[in-house]
Amino acid sequence: MHAIRTNSVGASLEETFKAHKDAPWVFLRGLGNWGDDFLFAGAEALANRLGLDWRDIPLDTFPDVDLPETTCVYIHGSGGFNPWCSGSAITNLKHATSKQIRLALQGPMSVGGDADWLSDVMTDVVSDARAEEIIVFTREQYSYDAIANIKGLVETADVRLDQDSALYLQVDEILSLAGLDSLPEGNYDLVVVREDPEAGKSAGEQTFPGVQLDPAYAANSFAHWIRMHLGAKHIATNRLHSSIIGTLAGKQVTVGPGSYHKNRSVYEQSLVHRNVAWSDNIGVRDKQWWFSLPTRVRTSYKANLARLFANGIPTR
């Protein structure tokens, strides 16, 4: 049984939340690093600002939980709709659409993979749909174009385009998450280069000045991750949410490519209008002495603590 596609009120995530403000909401957080937590925090802050009645449900219990038919389920956005991730983002949306509820809402996300893979996956997501309404948000034009014409999806779901949910955060909300009263003065240049398979490759040999690290691994908490960025003067990065927190905090920000279109697509959709610069060459790891050290040294807690302290970066 397929759900019936309806004409929802409003085009943006904010307007959609407002249109269903009277309903009980369940939010589903996906898997990820501290940058993903920043994305999650954006939607949650928006929901709080609008007065939504929402609660979290753990992912492992969600498939078997019974929900009232008046419930709206929000699945946080992500970059997980691609063949090299765990598949949990896709599974979460499928579980939500298969429940007899008022609304299954996929938060702004990016997709990857070839057209045939994507068509098969997104069609399967709604193959057992029972939700009264299904809305799927993308966060940039590339992903919107990739799924807006998948017949098996758009016959059932309303596909929309909005900004990354982290961009809904306001400075006071970011400070609250960081446990700070005011924005610190920037006193170091931060070069945030991914240390995972999504890093991609720089197109040349340019290296931005500053200390090069990946807060996804160097931070010991979400609040610490935020404080590491807020203390910077300039952030050069190929991590999308490092560029987003930087521009929200009024920092000088330069963003560059990762392993697929996501960074460039979100930049063109949302960040180019926020005084964020683009560079194809963010950092070259072997230009910094730190990366010539043995792995056991670089991954040592004490060594990382000393490195942060020596560069004036918050240690917690």
Side-chain angles (χ1 to χ4, degrees):
M1 174 183 174
H2 286 280
I4 299 173
R5 177 176 173 177
T6 59
N7 293 320
S8 302
V9 177
S12 70
L13 179 62
E14 181 173 6
E15 291 166 335
T16 305
F17 277 171
K18 287 178 180 177
H20 298 276
K21 186 178 177 180
D22 62 318
W25 283 81
V26 165
F27 279 30
L28 289 183
R29 280 181 166 236
L31 306 174
N33 55 53
W34 303 126
D36 293 294
D37 278 3
F38 195 63
L39 177 153
F40 304 157
E44 291 166 0
L46 177 62
N48 290 336
R49 217 180 299 144
L50 297 175
L52 261 63
D53 175 19
W54 68 275
R55 62 188 175 102
D56 282 317
I57 288 185
L59 292 181
D60 57 350
T61 63
F62 179 69
D64 300 319
V65 70
D66 290 325
L67 297 173
E69 294 183 12
T70 57
T71 303
C72 296
V73 173
Y74 178 77
I75 306 100
H76 283 284
S78 72
F81 284 75
N82 55 63
W84 58 85
C85 283
S86 67
S88 64
I90 299 162
T91 301
N92 294 339
L93 180 56
K94 185 173 176 63
H95 284 318
T97 61
S98 66
K99 291 184 180 293
Q100 194 166 337
I101 54 176
R102 176 173 172 177
L103 171 64
L105 173 58
Q106 170 61 55
M109 51 81 165
S110 295
V111 301
D114 63 52
D116 289 339
W117 176 88
L118 194 59
S119 179
D120 290 344
V121 163
M122 298 308 292
T123 299
D124 180 65
V125 158
V126 294
S127 61
D128 299 316
R130 300 172 64 214
E132 180 181 342
E133 185 178 5
I134 302 168
I135 300 173
V136 176
F137 273 101
T138 58
R139 59 183 171 181
E140 27 76 16
Q141 192 70 46
Y142 181 101
S143 293
Y144 178 83
D145 292 342
I147 68 173
N149 294 310
I150 297 176
K151 184 178 179 182
L153 177 67
V154 298
E155 287 178 343
T156 302
D158 185 358
V159 180
R160 298 182 181 179
L161 175 62
D162 195 9
Q163 63 186 1
D164 185 282
S165 61
L167 286 163
Y168 279 106
L169 280 162
Q170 299 176 352
V171 172
D172 62 329
E173 294 163 339
I174 296 173
L175 290 174
S176 178
L177 292 168
L180 297 174
D181 295 323
S182 60
L183 284 172
E185 284 191 28
N187 61 359
Y188 49 85
D189 293 314
L190 191 60
V191 184
V192 176
V193 178
R194 299 189 73 116
E195 297 179 14
D196 62 19
E198 202 178 309
K201 295 182 179 179
S202 291
E205 293 299 315
Q206 178 180 352
T207 300
F208 282 82
V211 58
Q212 181 174 316
L213 52 77
D214 188 348
Y217 298 103
N220 52 47
S221 69
F222 180 42
H224 185 207
W225 181 91
I226 296 175
R227 290 192 289 269
M228 292 175 76
H229 291 88
L230 296 187
K233 292 181 295 185
H234 176 265
I235 298 172
T237 182
N238 62 3
R239 275 203 179 273
L240 176 61
H241 289 99
S242 290
S243 69
I244 290 177
I245 188 173
T247 190
L248 290 176
K251 308 294 180 179
Q252 290 182 289
V253 178
T254 304
V255 65
S259 63
Y260 71 121
H261 72 87
K262 179 182 74 175
N263 288 7
R264 182 74 193 191
S265 297
V266 174
Y267 169 77
E268 293 176 351
Q269 176 69 26
S270 302
L271 301 183
V272 69
H273 310 296
R274 294 174 175 264
N275 294 323
V276 176
W278 178 267
S279 174
D280 288 327
N281 314 302
I282 290 299
V284 181
R285 181 173 298 177
D286 60 11
K287 297 292 184 181
Q288 295 211 0
W289 65 270
W290 174 259
F291 297 101
S292 66
L293 296 176
T295 301
R296 70 178 185 279
V297 175
R298 288 190 288 108
T299 56
S300 161
Y301 172 77
K302 289 184 178 179
N304 273 287
L305 198 65
R307 185 178 183 226
L308 295 179
F309 181 79
N311 286 281
I313 301 173
T315 57
R316 59 184 178 86

